[in-house]
C-alpha cells in the first residue's frame, strides 16, 4: 500500500539522484547529514529532507514537486495531507513497526497522504550514519534544525518549517502525530474530505472551562495549510519564547490568541488512549495512542486484523 495516491507524487524526489546509490555509506552520511543538518550557521527555517529510496510505502518515482502540484491541479486527488510522525533517531525498531502499520493499510481514496518521520538535528556520528541508511532505503525522513526534544520547541519548528520547505507544492493539511500512535489513514481522510480547506484545527479535543475544544491532544492533530503558514510567519511566538511546555496545549494557545483554527473538529471518541488492559479498541477508530511497547502494537495489529492477509507457507507457522 502506498500512502501517496496513484498519480505518483513524492515531494522530495527532485532532491534525490541515482548517484546517491553509488556513494559509500560513510560518505553518504557525511554528505546528507552532518554538514547540512548540524551546521551552527544553519538558518532556523532550514529543513533537511533525506531521501533516496524509491520503493517504500510513501515514495513514488518519476515525480517532483511541480509534477505533484500539476497533478493536484488536474484533479487527481481531492486533497493532500502531510503526516509528520515525531520521533527520535534511536527509535529505529519503533519506526519499523510504524512503517509496517502504514504500509499494510488500505489506501485513502482520492487523497494524497505523505508520511514522514521527523527528527531534530542528528549530531551523533553513529546515529547519523544509521539515519542516512534509513533515508536511502525508505525516503521518508525529515530533519529539522533544532536540538532533539519533545516539549521544547520541536513541534513549533515542524509546523513553521514545513510551509517554507514545501511552498512550491503546498499540502491542504498538515498533521503532527507521535510514534506511539496507530493512525488509520483512510478513516482520517474520510473525516477530512468534507471539511473546509482553510482555518481548520482537528483532533481529539480537550475542553477547558467553557471552551469545549481549547486544544487538541498531542496524539495527533491536523491544521490546514494556512494555519501552519500563520504559525511559520508569527514572530510573536518566538519573541515571547512561547514554545517551551506541553506542545499540544501550546499549539492551542497560539491559535486561540491569534484567532486561528476557528473551524474546529473533535474526533473524540474515535481518537483515544489505549487502556491499561488493552480492551477499549473501537471498530471505528481513527487513531489509538499510548502504544509504548511491542505488546501494545501486537494487540493493535490483532484487533484490526492487520495480519489477516498473510499467505500460508511451509516456511513459517504462525498462530
Amino acid at each position: 500500500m502506498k500512502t501517496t495516491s496513484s498519480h505518483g507524487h513524492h515531494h522530495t524526489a527532485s532532491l534525490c539522484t541515482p548517484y546517491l546509490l553509488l556513494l559509500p555509506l560513510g560518505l553518504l552520511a557525511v554528505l546528507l547529514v552532518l554538514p547540512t543538518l548540524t551546521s551552527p550557521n544553519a538558518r532556523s527555517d532550514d529543513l533537511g529532507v533525506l531521501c533516496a529510496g524509491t520503493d517504500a510505502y510513501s515514495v513514488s518515482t518519476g515525480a517532483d514537486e511541480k509534477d505533484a502540484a500539476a497533478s493536484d491541479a488536474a484533479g487527481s486527488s481531492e486533497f493532500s495531507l502531510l503526516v509528520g510522525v515525531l520521533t527520535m533517531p534511536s527509535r529505529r525498531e519503533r519506526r519499523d513497526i510504524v512503517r509496517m502499520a502504514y504500509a499494510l493499510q488500505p489506501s485513502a481514496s482520492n487523497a494524497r497522504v505523505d508520511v514522514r518521520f521527523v527528527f531534530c538535528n542528528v549530531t551523533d556520528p553513529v546515529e547519523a550514519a544509521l539515519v542516512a541508511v534509513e533515508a536511502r532505503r525508505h525516503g521518508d525522513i525529515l530533519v529539522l534544525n533544532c536540538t532533539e526534544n519533545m516539549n521544547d520547541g520541536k513541534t513549533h519548528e515542524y509546523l513553521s518549517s514545513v510551509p517554507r520547505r514545501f511552498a512550491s507544492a503546498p499540502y491542504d493539511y498538515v498533521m503532527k502525530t507521535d510514534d506511539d500512535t496507530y493512525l488509520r489513514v483512510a478513516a482520517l481522510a474520510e473525516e477530512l474530505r468534507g471539511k473546509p480547506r482553510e482555518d481548520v484545527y482537528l483532533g481529539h479535543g480537550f475542553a477547558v472551562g467553557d471552551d469545549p475544544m481549547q486544544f487538541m491532544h498531542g496524539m495527533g492533530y491536523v491544521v490546514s495549510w494556512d494555519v501552519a503558514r500563520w504559525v511559520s510567519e508569527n514572530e510573536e511566538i518566538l519573541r515571547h519564547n512561547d514554545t517551551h511546555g506541553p506542545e499540544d496545549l501550546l499549539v492551542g494557545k497560539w491559535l486561540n490568541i491569534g484567532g486561528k483554527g476557528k473551524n474546529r473538529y473533535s474526533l473524540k471518541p474515535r481518537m483515544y488512549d489505549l487502556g491499561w488492559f488493552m480492551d477499549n479498541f473501537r471498530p471505528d477508530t481513527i487513531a489509538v495512542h499510548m502504544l509504548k511497547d511491542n505488546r501494545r502494537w501486537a494487540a493493535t495489529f490483532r484487533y484490526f486484523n492487520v495480519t489477516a492477509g498473510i499467505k500460508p507457507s511451509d516456511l513459517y507457522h504462525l498462530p
Side-chain angles (χ1 to χ4, degrees):
M1 167 264 191
K2 291 180 183 293
T3 53
T4 51
S5 65
S6 60
H7 65 263
H9 165 259
H10 175 42
H11 266 81
T12 60
S14 62
L15 301 181
C16 307
T17 71
Y19 299 109
L20 284 175
L21 303 177
L22 304 177
L23 292 175
L25 174 58
L27 181 58
L28 180 68
V30 171
L31 291 179
L32 283 180
V33 181
L34 297 178
T36 58
L37 303 180
T38 64
S39 169
N41 298 319
R43 298 185 309 164
S44 61
D45 61 347
D46 284 343
L47 175 65
V49 183
L50 305 185
C51 53
T54 55
D55 58 346
Y57 68 92
S58 62
V59 179
S60 300
T61 59
D64 60 16
E65 294 175 5
K66 292 182 179 179
D67 294 334
S71 183
D72 284 346
S76 298
S77 58
E78 293 180 36
F79 64 89
S80 57
L81 167 68
L82 173 65
V83 178
V85 181
L86 272 60
T87 183
M88 298 175 66
S90 60
R91 294 180 182 168
R92 281 176 290 279
E93 181 183 17
R94 176 71 59 78
R95 285 193 296 282
D96 285 342
I97 292 173
V98 176
R99 281 190 183 101
M100 287 189 293
Y102 284 113
L104 295 175
Q105 292 185 37
S107 299
S109 176
N110 295 322
R112 187 178 82 246
V113 182
D114 293 338
V115 180
R116 300 291 179 262
F117 292 94
V118 182
F119 308 95
C120 286
N121 286 327
V122 186
T123 56
D124 180 84
V126 173
E127 296 289 3
L130 295 175
V131 169
V133 171
E134 267 189 83
R136 177 177 177 179
R137 175 63 184 89
H138 299 290
D140 58 2
I141 303 296
L142 296 182
V143 181
L144 308 173
N145 185 33
C146 53
T147 301
E148 194 59 70
N149 70 90
M150 182 174 72
N151 287 315
D152 200 23
K154 183 174 182 177
T155 295
H156 178 267
E157 186 69 20
Y158 168 63
L159 289 177
S160 60
S161 297
V162 162
R164 291 190 285 265
R165 171 59 189 87
F166 298 113
S168 63
Y171 291 88
D172 292 302
Y173 301 106
V174 178
M175 182 176 196
K176 175 266 169 186
T177 188
D178 295 329
D179 64 6
D180 63 342
T181 297
Y182 178 64
L183 176 66
R184 300 179 75 200
V185 174
L188 175 61
E190 285 306 308
E191 283 293 329
L192 289 172
R193 196 173 307 282
K195 300 294 189 292
R197 300 291 187 257
E198 295 183 349
D199 213 21
V200 169
Y201 185 29
L202 174 149
H204 174 120
F206 260 90
V208 178
D210 295 331
D211 189 338
M213 279 185 283
Q214 182 81 3
F215 67 97
M216 303 296 171
H217 192 296
M219 71 173 74
Y221 48 83
V222 176
V223 297
S224 51
W225 186 259
D226 62 300
V227 172
R229 189 173 61 239
W230 176 82
V231 172
S232 176
E233 297 171 352
N234 188 342
E235 297 180 357
E236 291 296 313
I237 295 173
L238 293 176
R239 183 175 295 120
H240 294 289
N241 200 28
D242 205 12
T243 62
H244 308 285
E247 56 86 18
D248 49 2
L249 191 151
L250 285 176
V251 171
K253 177 183 177 182
W254 305 333
L255 302 189
N256 294 336
I257 291 175
K260 300 297 180 180
K262 293 180 180 178
N263 295 315
R264 300 194 176 191
Y265 305 93
S266 179
L267 302 184
K268 186 171 60 177
R270 298 178 65 194
M271 298 179 72
Y272 56 93
D273 287 337
L274 185 62
W276 178 260
F277 296 103
M278 300 185 293
D279 59 356
N280 62 318
F281 288 110
R282 298 173 55 96
D284 63 348
T285 293
I286 291 176
V288 55
H289 180 235
M290 295 294 288
L291 308 185
K292 298 291 188 182
D293 56 43
N294 290 354
R295 184 174 64 96
R296 288 180 158 244
W297 277 100
T300 302
F301 289 159
R302 284 194 298 269
Y303 180 83
F304 292 106
N305 295 318
V306 174
T307 61
I310 190 170
K311 297 179 180 179
S313 173
D314 293 334
L315 299 179
Y316 49 76
H317 301 281
L318 298 172

